[in-house]
Amino acid sequence: MQLPAAIFKAYDIRGVVPGTVNDAMAEALGRAFGTLALREGQTKVAVGRDGRLSGPMLSAALMRGLSEVGIEVIDIGMATTPMLYFAANTLCASGIQVTGSHNPKDYNGFKMVLAGRAIYGDEIQALRRMMEAESWELRRSGQICQASVLADYQARIVGGIKLSRPMKIVVDSGNGIAGASAPAILRAIGCQVTELFSAVDGNFPNHHPDPSKPENLRDVVAALQAGEAEIGLAFDGDGDRLGIVTKDGQTIYPDRQMMLFAADVLTRVPGGTILFDVKCSQRLAPAIEAAGGVPLMYKTGHSLIKAKMKQINSPLGGEMSGHVFFKERWYGFDDGTYAGCRLLEILSRSADANAVLNALPSSFSTPELNVKCAEGEPHGLVDQLVKIATAPAGGSAAHEMASVGALFAAPAVVNTIDGLRVDWPDGFGLIRASNTTPVLVLRFEGHTPQALDRIQTAMLALLRTVKPDAVFDAPSH
């Protein structure tokens, strides 16, 4: 079978329908995934789909492929990605969500859980090889049965969340799949909800369902200004990420959300290790320590964070992209609806929710910047930067460094767990290679505008020693 290698990403499979992702490819994925699942003793696989127009066609083909290798398929129908994860925690241990997440509307793809773990990297490449070789093992067809998880999922959330007072909120689902479940769940925990764009529509007629981009939050900001609601929530296309907007229109980015979540979780798990990715604010680690926790910076990538959390038994993890993972009182998977409920539970303890949010430590920072590269180029560039950053004094690397100043002299601290992150006492700079597209990802933060400017200037000068033609774009996911 001929397959474009580019659709097999680090954490999932994604491409344009029907060009690179189509029913033949979905059926082959079902056969390959089912074969690998059976080898691990997994006989059942749950399948869900978001609200994209190609979802019914792709999920039908995927389920057919799973069935053809002898898997018993549990079809949960249209559901958020977290609801698929919930099914893979309660009905079985493996599942596939057909979702394009927050990609353009002509995209679709697959997020996969096998025997309780989100598969990524080499395991996704193993699927690709089996699909190309058509080396799956056909068996007597397994059954396909329907099951709705919404009632159990809602009951599990509502039973564990206690608001201290009713809250008035705005909820923007961006015509993504969260609109079919999140507003009702938020009402059930005690909120008065003003809904925006809850109707599931794969054309996304109002704005794109990606709350990480400020332009997609304008309607929430306007509704907060016009009405009595005190806070706004926004979900991405498949419901696993959350955006938060204050009454005065400020976005509370995920690293600041994590300060609030960590302080709450650590009251019940004192001394817990809280995981976060290299894109997060320098202010986060001290906030975790102040709350009695152990901060651990790790690689970006929702599958990587989930695997590391499991390994070290962390009660909470989060990424700057908006994925937040609660293990304490929950299952450890990323869930925008559940994160929103946990946030409201915390904020409901205060008379002024916005004062709590605005009091969270903040800095001056750039949005995420992308530098487009040739396919395969980003990791090589980062390797060169890391060599310069970690080179001993003297030698050619030191000479190269001299041209951009003594960038890494104390008190700078160099971290190379995922690209190159340099922390100074008053801010940080990050240059890393994306695992999903051929770009370098850059982020800069300073405690003051002057610090931000200094750090950005120094890091860009360093970058241009290895890529003189670097041009910056807004992020593409």
Side-chain angles (χ1 to χ4, degrees):
M1 185 176 198
Q2 293 289 309
L3 293 165
I7 67 173
F8 295 88
K9 309 292 187 183
Y11 319 119
D12 54 29
I13 298 171
R14 257 183 292 157
V16 177
V17 180
T20 56
V21 171
N22 50 48
D23 56 352
M25 176 265 160
E27 183 175 16
L29 174 62
R31 289 175 169 186
F33 185 92
T35 298
L36 294 180
L38 286 167
R39 287 178 187 172
E40 295 202 22
Q42 300 289 306
T43 59
K44 296 181 181 180
V45 174
V47 173
R49 57 182 167 85
D50 70 12
R52 287 173 184 259
L53 304 178
S54 57
M57 175 265 291
L58 292 173
S59 63
L62 175 71
M63 291 188 288
R64 188 166 63 245
L66 287 163
S67 170
E68 285 164 348
V69 295
I71 291 289
E72 184 180 328
V73 180
I74 304 170
D75 175 11
I76 69 165
M78 234 178 17
T80 63
T81 295
M83 286 165 66
L84 183 276
Y85 294 154
F86 179 81
N89 273 272
T90 56
L91 301 180
C92 55
S94 299
I96 303 177
Q97 176 76 352
V98 180
T99 175
S101 186
H102 51 278
N103 281 92
K105 66 181 182 179
D106 54 341
Y107 278 70
N108 215 330
F110 309 88
K111 293 182 180 179
M112 295 163 284
V113 177
L114 178 58
R117 66 185 185 277
I119 68 169
Y120 61 93
D122 291 344
E123 290 193 290
I124 289 178
Q125 294 307 314
L127 279 172
R128 176 176 69 87
R129 289 190 293 272
M130 183 178 287
M131 291 165 70
E132 287 174 338
E134 301 185 15
S135 56
W136 47 66
E137 298 157 13
L138 297 177
R139 291 179 172 83
R140 180 177 57 80
S141 288
Q143 284 189 319
I144 300 175
C145 63
Q146 274 78 39
S148 173
V149 297
L150 178 56
D152 288 345
Y153 171 77
Q154 176 166 326
R156 175 66 177 79
I157 294 178
V158 174
I161 297 288
K162 298 287 181 283
L163 295 194
S164 298
R165 63 178 177 86
M167 296 190 71
K168 293 181 180 178
I169 63 173
V170 172
V171 175
D172 184 346
S173 300
N175 300 110
I177 189 61
S181 56
I185 291 171
L186 291 161
R187 285 193 179 95
I189 66 166
C191 292
Q192 186 175 320
V193 180
T194 299
E195 294 185 48
L196 300 177
F197 317 131
S198 296
V200 179
D201 184 343
N203 288 305
F204 307 126
N206 294 289
H207 63 74
H208 203 63
D210 182 359
S212 68
K213 295 190 176 183
E215 63 266 27
N216 296 325
L217 298 173
R218 289 176 190 146
D219 295 296
V220 175
V221 171
L224 286 165
Q225 289 172 344
E228 296 180 355
E230 53 189 309
I231 188 170
L233 307 184
F235 299 107
D236 75 336
D238 65 333
D240 59 6
R241 296 188 300 134
L242 171 70
I244 299 171
V245 182
T246 64
K247 181 70 173 173
D248 59 352
Q250 301 299 309
T251 299
I252 304 297
Y253 286 102
D255 47 2
R256 293 179 78 203
Q257 297 172 26
M258 283 290 293
M259 298 174 192
L260 202 61
F261 291 141
D264 177 59
V265 167
L266 289 165
T267 62
R268 294 177 297 276
V269 190
T273 298
I274 308 299
L275 210 61
F276 55 92
D277 78 323
V278 293
K279 294 184 192 177
C280 286
S281 171
Q282 193 181 65
R283 306 280 198 182
L284 178 54
I288 292 168
E289 288 173 338
V294 178
L296 180 60
M297 188 187 297
Y298 197 59
K299 302 172 186 179
T300 292
H302 65 91
S303 299
L304 304 177
I305 296 271
K306 277 184 271 202
K308 187 67 174 177
M309 284 180 67
K310 197 172 277 192
Q311 179 192 335
I312 65 173
N313 196 28
S314 168
L316 174 69
E319 283 194 294
M320 193 63 196
S321 62
H323 296 273
V324 178
F325 316 87
F326 288 92
K327 181 61 179 169
E328 189 257 348
R329 295 165 54 193
W330 193 240
Y331 299 92
F333 58 73
D334 36 337
D335 186 335
T337 299
Y338 184 72
C341 290
R342 289 285 289 255
L343 176 89
L344 294 167
E345 182 180 63
I346 296 166
L347 295 178
S348 72
R349 297 171 193 151
S350 302
D352 189 342
N354 288 277
V356 173
L357 294 173
N358 289 324
L360 295 169
S362 63
S363 292
F364 298 88
S365 62
T366 62
E368 184 179 304
L369 303 169
N370 284 353
V371 176
K372 285 184 180 170
C373 299
E375 195 73 48
E377 184 186 16
H379 288 280
L381 292 172
V382 168
D383 288 344
Q384 292 179 60
L385 293 171
V386 167
K387 278 179 187 165
I388 296 171
T390 56
S396 61
H399 175 72
E400 216 171 338
M401 255 183 9
S403 67
V404 291
L407 183 57
F408 305 106
V413 176
V414 174
N415 185 314
T416 60
I417 193 167
D418 184 2
L420 175 66
R421 174 167 164 151
V422 186
D423 279 79
W424 289 269
D426 57 354
F428 79 91
L430 172 71
I431 304 175
R432 62 177 289 274
S434 168
N435 287 319
T436 54
T437 50
V439 300
L440 290 173
V441 177
L442 282 60
R443 184 164 154 73
F444 309 113
E445 175 183 280
H447 294 188
T448 64
Q450 294 78 14
L452 173 60
D453 186 59
R454 187 193 82 242
I455 290 167
Q456 182 167 343
T457 300
M459 294 293 284
L460 294 183
L462 174 71
L463 174 61
R464 289 198 167 102
T465 66
V466 299
K467 189 170 176 62
D469 61 342
V471 177
F472 309 103
D473 288 329
S476 60
H477 296 274

